[in-house]
Amino acid sequence: MQKILEIDGLKTYFFTDSGVVRAVDDVGLDVQEGSVVGVVGESGCGKTVMARSILNIIEKGGRIVSGRIVYHKGAETVDIASLKPTGAAIKRIRGREIAMIFQEPMTSFSPVYTIGNQIMEMLMVHRRLGATEARRMATEMLTRVGMSKPEQRIDEYPHQLSGGMRQRAMIAMALSCDPRLLIADEPTTALDVTIQSQIIELLKRLQQELSTSIIMITHDLGVIAEIADEVVVMYLGKVVEQAPVRKLFRDPLHPYTSALLRSIPRLGRKVEGRLPSIKGTIPDVRDLPPGCYFHPRCESFIPGVCDAALPELRAADDDHRARCVLVNGVNADD
């Protein structure tokens, strides 16, 4: 299977008056053509900043400090990290080759234009279509994503749509130019469970129909279990575990991954009292703890080892890696 995206040593920092925020710190992952890579972790772990780095749309104060984001287009390769954020080269990729479903459609759509106008603009800019043909294709995309009464909805404003409809419109806009890679940033956030299920099923169906590669960003491991082929677990800007989805759920190696899995409610499992939770909170990114960043919250903490040095991302086998001293039998006596 051919690689479509290759991220290597990516560092995206924000430079603030109160210090440097290492939002993404030496992250690496590959996306194969036609595959779904899930990126999970608590809020503040750098998932969205990594996604925005891929499109070079980092918010004010931040920039890619080092690393490579190599986009493979047949025999041609482009290092997105080296492109000027406002240059013509990245504009040809952004939206056309790599598209993004943003976390909150209500704030991502312009409130002063209809959803139809905003989808049509994508088609007219990237596919050079006239207004009549762009409107026809926009209506067709709204139909494809399951929007009710698409001929009517195309002339409505974002505030006139429900949360589920706005998310479908956002997916329609992202897929309107038939991108090779789709980045879905928390696409089911703030939706009720029924609509969440519909959106996940929609993404699965469209991915199979269009053979689009997907990076699915979420804090919900239940969503990852349904859709992903491979999982990348992030904590405080770093990848702490990476594995095929079945292997990660069956045999998690990092204590953080294990804790996330234990916190998932499961049908048929009797639970007395509260669901397990991860103790403590994510540390301030401007004052990171020594050693492993997770050790203040870790139930497997080894004094003098876990707080001494930041572990490397170790290989447990060919396709399973974890950033923990417990991998490969490392213990307090080593």
Side-chain angles (χ1 to χ4, degrees):
M1 194 178 292
Q2 184 181 350
K3 288 181 184 177
I4 189 171
L5 191 76
E6 189 177 358
I7 300 175
D8 181 32
L10 177 64
K11 296 183 179 182
T12 303
Y13 295 172
F14 286 84
F15 298 87
T16 71
D17 293 338
S18 55
V20 178
V21 176
R22 294 173 171 83
V24 176
D25 198 13
D26 197 22
V27 165
L29 64 88
D30 296 338
V31 182
Q32 307 292 334
E33 196 164 16
S35 69
V36 180
V37 175
V39 182
V40 298
E42 295 169 282
S43 297
C45 286
K47 307 184 299 298
T48 294
V49 175
M50 182 200 69
R52 286 181 168 271
S53 298
I54 294 171
L55 287 174
N56 225 325
I57 51 172
I58 304 160
E59 294 174 338
K60 187 178 179 180
R63 70 171 186 267
I64 297 173
V65 174
S66 63
R68 299 164 68 239
I69 304 171
V70 181
Y71 171 58
H72 296 266
K73 185 179 179 181
E76 180 187 356
T77 59
V78 179
D79 183 4
I80 294 174
S82 67
L83 299 180
K84 185 179 178 181
T86 56
I90 187 62
K91 287 180 179 179
R92 284 193 294 269
I93 295 172
R94 191 186 293 148
R96 178 65 182 93
E97 302 281 341
I98 304 175
M100 187 166 178
I101 302 170
F102 292 94
Q103 189 170 20
E104 179 43 67
M106 191 63 187
T107 56
S108 301
F109 276 119
S110 170
V112 298
Y113 294 99
T114 65
I115 60 163
N117 278 337
Q118 294 177 69
I119 297 172
M120 287 167 60
E121 183 181 19
M122 286 278 290
L123 292 164
M124 294 167 75
V125 169
H126 290 294
R127 289 196 167 186
R128 307 296 183 188
L129 299 179
T132 302
E133 180 63 10
R135 183 181 175 87
R136 185 193 67 77
M137 287 196 67
T139 305
E140 185 180 299
M141 282 306 305
L142 290 174
T143 303
R144 195 167 195 173
V145 299
M147 181 74 80
S148 62
K149 301 178 182 178
E151 296 84 2
Q152 173 186 329
R153 305 298 182 199
I154 196 170
D155 293 317
E156 293 184 349
Y157 293 86
H159 71 271
Q160 294 178 286
L161 304 179
S162 67
M165 286 181 179
R166 281 194 296 269
Q167 196 61 279
R168 289 175 190 274
M170 178 63 70
I171 294 170
M173 185 163 71
L175 293 175
S176 61
C177 293
D178 194 17
R180 297 180 66 220
L181 175 62
L182 177 66
I183 303 169
D185 185 9
E186 302 276 12
T188 59
T189 296
L191 301 176
D192 65 57
V193 291
T194 303
I195 303 300
Q196 283 185 19
S197 177
Q198 292 174 4
I199 294 299
I200 294 301
E201 288 301 318
L202 170 64
L203 287 172
K204 287 167 63 176
R205 176 174 61 80
L206 293 173
Q207 191 265 340
Q208 291 168 2
E209 290 177 1
L210 304 174
S211 298
T212 304
S213 303
I214 297 178
I215 297 177
M216 171 67 75
I217 297 171
T218 181
H219 61 274
D220 189 339
L221 279 164
V223 170
I224 292 298
E226 282 195 59
I227 197 170
D229 300 306
E230 184 179 356
V231 188
V232 174
V233 183
M234 289 186 66
Y235 187 75
L236 284 175
K238 290 189 175 292
V239 174
V240 296
E241 188 160 1
Q242 191 169 2
V245 63
R246 291 183 180 275
K247 186 173 288 188
L248 183 125
F249 274 75
R250 184 177 64 247
D251 184 27
L253 297 179
H254 198 283
Y256 180 58
T257 309
S258 300
L260 288 174
L261 288 169
R262 285 197 303 271
S263 67
I264 301 174
R266 301 177 190 273
L267 288 173
R269 184 177 71 179
K270 187 176 180 180
V271 178
E272 296 183 3
R274 297 172 64 88
L275 281 169
S277 60
I278 305 174
K279 68 177 183 180
T281 58
I282 295 178
D284 188 330
V285 290
R286 290 159 296 191
D287 186 23
L288 295 169
C292 173
Y293 295 162
F294 186 63
H295 85 257
R297 309 173 69 190
C298 184
E299 295 180 356
S300 303
F301 170 59
I302 305 171
V305 176
C306 297
D307 54 356
L310 182 68
E312 296 293 323
L313 196 60
R314 299 170 180 265
D317 53 41
D318 291 342
D319 56 1
H320 196 168
R321 301 187 299 163
R323 191 182 295 276
C324 182
V325 296
L326 301 176
V327 178
N328 296 333
V330 178
N331 56 51
D333 298 324
D334 287 334

